[in-house]
Amino acid sequence: MTQPILYSLQNCPYAMRARLAILMSEQTVLIRAIVMQNKPAELLALSPKGTVPVLVLGTEAHAQVIDESLDIMLWALNISDPNNLLYAEDAKALPEMLTIINENDQQFKPTLERYKRAKRFHEDNEEECRLQCEPFIQALEQRLSQHLFLMGSTPSLLDFALLPFVRQFSRVNRQHFRDGSYTYLKNWLKHHLQSQLFSKAMLKYPLWLETYEENRLGKPASLELRGPSTCP
Ligand SMILES: N[C@@H](CCC(=O)N[C@@H](CS)C(=O)NCC(=O)O)C(=O)O
């Protein structure tokens, strides 16, 4: 069995959540760092929709491709979940987490994109766009006022699936986030962003297409991303 290969983009929130889950599950994959402007042909052959992250399992002749970030998280955690991110003892936890992740991906993310655009291009609707993000953000704040993490007293799949998107929200208008009424969310975000886990997940790798050329000079084609044994 060959090592799984993860096509990854440094600052993509979907790739980040996949890397976080892989680390938390203590799996090992080979990272192939790419940029959107130059997607490797073999990636497009494996997953023609052309998004990252993409995980490739098996051999070249019999490759299994997982090209949705949430599916990659679940793949990793179903193999090994030493910190119980799936809250396995609670049958209602996973469906609840999947519902909120779906809401994040389908509703919050497009709203967040509008907010980012408004800020970036100095449009006059920044405030309006931010207000459209607020119900989702406030629902997270409400959860965190009950317990340290989104599902309870320990981290869950939900925390790591949403973390990169909350991070993006906090960075659109940093001043506003600092001054905003997100006391619990700010602490939660700070906790995660300062963790060793997050630093590991954000390690910068040389671009695979460039490394591929170097590889012919004897360097490894990909770099390993190894998981820590403890929770952040
Ligand atoms: N639903 C996908 C979304 C992934 C996605 O949209 N990733 C962005 C990068 S952050 C992408 O690859 N976009 C394609 C492009 O910009 O060409 C997932 O969860 O994996």
Side-chain angles (χ1 to χ4, degrees), residues 51-72:
T51 63
V52 281
V54 171
L55 185 72
V56 186
L57 305 167
T59 60
E60 216 172 291
H62 300 284
Q64 185 198 340
V65 176
I66 307 181
D67 59 9
E68 280 295 319
S69 56
L70 179 57
D71 292 338
I72 297 173

Tab-separated table of all heavy atoms in Angstrom, residues 51-72:
chain	number	residue	atom	x	y	z
A	51	THR	N	-10.726	21.276	-7.608
A	51	THR	CA	-10.631	21.943	-6.304
A	51	THR	C	-9.640	21.180	-5.420
A	51	THR	O	-9.337	20.016	-5.666
A	51	THR	CB	-11.999	22.004	-5.579
A	51	THR	OG1	-12.452	20.672	-5.293
A	51	THR	CG2	-13.042	22.741	-6.406
A	52	VAL	N	-9.146	21.879	-4.418
A	52	VAL	CA	-8.348	21.221	-3.377
A	52	VAL	C	-9.090	21.404	-2.058
A	52	VAL	O	-9.857	22.366	-1.914
A	52	VAL	CB	-6.925	21.819	-3.248
A	52	VAL	CG1	-6.015	21.304	-4.310
A	52	VAL	CG2	-6.951	23.320	-3.199
A	53	PRO	N	-8.889	20.525	-1.100
A	53	PRO	CA	-7.938	19.427	-1.083
A	53	PRO	C	-8.449	18.189	-1.850
A	53	PRO	O	-9.650	18.001	-2.005
A	53	PRO	CB	-7.848	19.101	0.408
A	53	PRO	CG	-9.213	19.410	0.934
A	53	PRO	CD	-9.654	20.612	0.166
A	54	VAL	N	-7.451	17.381	-2.267
A	54	VAL	CA	-7.757	16.082	-2.870
A	54	VAL	C	-6.828	15.056	-2.228
A	54	VAL	O	-5.611	15.277	-2.159
A	54	VAL	CB	-7.535	16.105	-4.397
A	54	VAL	CG1	-7.649	14.706	-4.985
A	54	VAL	CG2	-8.541	17.029	-5.080
A	55	LEU	N	-7.428	13.970	-1.779
A	55	LEU	CA	-6.633	12.881	-1.190
A	55	LEU	C	-6.666	11.696	-2.139
A	55	LEU	O	-7.742	11.308	-2.607
A	55	LEU	CB	-7.227	12.486	0.169
A	55	LEU	CG	-6.441	11.444	0.946
A	55	LEU	CD1	-5.149	12.029	1.515
A	55	LEU	CD2	-7.286	10.871	2.095
A	56	VAL	N	-5.489	11.160	-2.411
A	56	VAL	CA	-5.405	10.008	-3.314
A	56	VAL	C	-4.883	8.813	-2.531
A	56	VAL	O	-3.805	8.871	-1.929
A	56	VAL	CB	-4.475	10.301	-4.515
A	56	VAL	CG1	-4.520	9.150	-5.506
A	56	VAL	CG2	-4.880	11.608	-5.195
A	57	LEU	N	-5.678	7.762	-2.552
A	57	LEU	CA	-5.317	6.530	-1.830
A	57	LEU	C	-5.029	5.431	-2.829
A	57	LEU	O	-5.547	5.453	-3.956
A	57	LEU	CB	-6.489	6.086	-0.946
A	57	LEU	CG	-7.036	7.114	0.043
A	57	LEU	CD1	-8.367	6.641	0.602
A	57	LEU	CD2	-6.042	7.331	1.162
A	58	GLY	N	-4.251	4.434	-2.405
A	58	GLY	CA	-4.016	3.264	-3.251
A	58	GLY	C	-2.865	3.486	-4.200
A	58	GLY	O	-1.999	4.340	-3.986
A	59	THR	N	-2.894	2.743	-5.278
A	59	THR	CA	-1.791	2.812	-6.235
A	59	THR	C	-2.245	3.600	-7.461
A	59	THR	O	-3.428	3.877	-7.618
A	59	THR	CB	-1.410	1.402	-6.703
A	59	THR	OG1	-2.574	0.822	-7.325
A	59	THR	CG2	-0.955	0.531	-5.555
A	60	GLU	N	-1.285	3.943	-8.301
A	60	GLU	CA	-1.622	4.704	-9.507
A	60	GLU	C	-2.639	3.938	-10.357
A	60	GLU	O	-3.581	4.519	-10.891
A	60	GLU	CB	-0.344	4.950	-10.300
A	60	GLU	CG	-0.314	6.304	-10.976
A	60	GLU	CD	1.046	6.563	-11.584
A	60	GLU	OE1	2.014	6.739	-10.822
A	60	GLU	OE2	1.122	6.548	-12.810
A	61	ALA	N	-2.463	2.618	-10.408
A	61	ALA	CA	-3.362	1.807	-11.230
A	61	ALA	C	-4.751	1.705	-10.611
A	61	ALA	O	-5.756	1.608	-11.316
A	61	ALA	CB	-2.758	0.417	-11.414
A	62	HIS	N	-4.816	1.720	-9.271
A	62	HIS	CA	-6.111	1.593	-8.580
A	62	HIS	C	-6.245	2.713	-7.555
A	62	HIS	O	-6.222	2.466	-6.357
A	62	HIS	CB	-6.225	0.233	-7.891
A	62	HIS	CG	-6.135	-0.914	-8.835
A	62	HIS	ND1	-7.173	-1.292	-9.660
A	62	HIS	CD2	-5.112	-1.745	-9.126
A	62	HIS	CE1	-6.794	-2.306	-10.415
A	62	HIS	NE2	-5.537	-2.603	-10.103
A	63	ALA	N	-6.367	3.920	-8.050
A	63	ALA	CA	-6.426	5.058	-7.133
A	63	ALA	C	-7.861	5.284	-6.665
A	63	ALA	O	-8.808	5.163	-7.438
A	63	ALA	CB	-5.906	6.302	-7.825
A	64	GLN	N	-7.960	5.598	-5.374
A	64	GLN	CA	-9.246	6.033	-4.838
A	64	GLN	C	-9.092	7.511	-4.503
A	64	GLN	O	-8.130	7.900	-3.841
A	64	GLN	CB	-9.605	5.233	-3.588
A	64	GLN	CG	-11.005	5.559	-3.066
A	64	GLN	CD	-11.189	5.123	-1.612
A	64	GLN	OE1	-10.443	4.268	-1.112
A	64	GLN	NE2	-12.166	5.722	-0.950
A	65	VAL	N	-10.019	8.313	-4.991
A	65	VAL	CA	-9.870	9.761	-4.842
A	65	VAL	C	-10.954	10.299	-3.914
A	65	VAL	O	-12.132	9.994	-4.081
A	65	VAL	CB	-9.992	10.437	-6.235
A	65	VAL	CG1	-9.946	11.958	-6.106
A	65	VAL	CG2	-8.893	9.949	-7.153
A	66	ILE	N	-10.537	11.083	-2.931
A	66	ILE	CA	-11.505	11.762	-2.056
A	66	ILE	C	-11.296	13.255	-2.272
A	66	ILE	O	-10.242	13.802	-1.922
A	66	ILE	CB	-11.291	11.389	-0.565
A	66	ILE	CG1	-11.271	9.872	-0.391
A	66	ILE	CG2	-12.374	12.010	0.295
A	66	ILE	CD1	-11.085	9.411	1.053
A	67	ASP	N	-12.274	13.909	-2.878
A	67	ASP	CA	-12.046	15.311	-3.247
A	67	ASP	C	-13.035	16.292	-2.622
A	67	ASP	O	-13.321	17.330	-3.193
A	67	ASP	CB	-11.975	15.477	-4.775
A	67	ASP	CG	-13.225	15.014	-5.487
A	67	ASP	OD1	-14.223	14.711	-4.805
A	67	ASP	OD2	-13.213	14.968	-6.729
A	68	GLU	N	-13.482	15.948	-1.426
A	68	GLU	CA	-14.250	16.886	-0.605
A	68	GLU	C	-13.573	16.936	0.757
A	68	GLU	O	-13.290	15.879	1.362
A	68	GLU	CB	-15.699	16.410	-0.439
A	68	GLU	CG	-16.592	16.711	-1.625
A	68	GLU	CD	-16.800	18.214	-1.853
A	68	GLU	OE1	-16.983	18.950	-0.876
A	68	GLU	OE2	-16.758	18.645	-3.016
A	69	SER	N	-13.348	18.147	1.250
A	69	SER	CA	-12.582	18.291	2.497
A	69	SER	C	-13.228	17.554	3.671
A	69	SER	O	-12.535	16.916	4.475
A	69	SER	CB	-12.403	19.769	2.837
A	69	SER	OG	-13.654	20.418	2.921
A	70	LEU	N	-14.551	17.645	3.763
A	70	LEU	CA	-15.216	16.975	4.886
A	70	LEU	C	-15.033	15.453	4.793
A	70	LEU	O	-14.808	14.787	5.812
A	70	LEU	CB	-16.714	17.340	4.888
A	70	LEU	CG	-17.559	16.700	5.981
A	70	LEU	CD1	-17.027	17.026	7.368
A	70	LEU	CD2	-19.021	17.154	5.858
A	71	ASP	N	-15.082	14.933	3.582
A	71	ASP	CA	-14.886	13.483	3.412
A	71	ASP	C	-13.460	13.079	3.804
A	71	ASP	O	-13.236	11.980	4.325
A	71	ASP	CB	-15.167	13.069	1.966
A	71	ASP	CG	-16.645	13.228	1.621
A	71	ASP	OD1	-17.471	13.237	2.545
A	71	ASP	OD2	-16.954	13.366	0.422
A	72	ILE	N	-12.511	13.970	3.546
A	72	ILE	CA	-11.118	13.673	3.940
A	72	ILE	C	-11.020	13.658	5.469
A	72	ILE	O	-10.389	12.765	6.059
A	72	ILE	CB	-10.137	14.693	3.323
A	72	ILE	CG1	-10.166	14.590	1.801
A	72	ILE	CG2	-8.715	14.469	3.852
A	72	ILE	CD1	-9.361	15.661	1.063
